[in-house]
Amino acid sequence: MPDASEVKPPVVTPVRVVIALCLVAPFVAMLWVGSYAKIDPTFIGIPFFYWYQMLWVLLSTALTMIAYKLWQRDQRARRTQGGGGAR
């Protein structure tokens, strides 16, 4: 039986919500095809449909890196609090 004084940190925290949003945003943006299924505005002669998707490649990379760094920080904080937490 665990010690009654040991309090585990909550599973859902604001940092974890931000991590989830960072990981879900690219999926929502790409699955909502009606929002970018058009030609105008063009960028250096490239139709919107194509450059929007290429922009999301870069944004997805940045958001995934942010989510990973936040996850690492969250796990370190949980270990130092003595809350355990899976690696």
Side-chain angles (χ1 to χ4, degrees):
M1 179 171 211
D3 186 21
S5 65
E6 182 180 320
V7 177
K8 292 189 177 186
V11 175
V12 179
T13 62
V15 170
R16 288 185 173 194
V17 170
V18 171
I19 291 168
L21 289 174
C22 285
L23 296 175
V24 169
F27 288 102
V28 171
M30 290 291 92
L31 289 175
W32 186 20
V33 178
S35 70
Y36 63 92
K38 52 190 172 185
I39 295 174
D40 290 326
T42 59
F43 177 68
I44 60 172
I46 302 170
F48 181 73
F49 181 78
Y50 295 112
W51 69 258
Y52 179 81
Q53 291 179 59
M54 290 300 105
L55 177 65
W56 270 103
V57 170
L58 300 174
L59 290 174
S60 297
T61 302
L63 289 171
T64 302
M65 287 180 358
I66 291 167
Y68 178 69
K69 292 299 183 182
L70 287 173
W71 180 257
Q72 282 184 325
R73 190 172 73 177
D74 182 62
Q75 292 303 301
R76 257 192 318 273
R78 285 175 179 268
R79 279 194 296 272
T80 59
Q81 286 176 353
R87 282 190 171 186

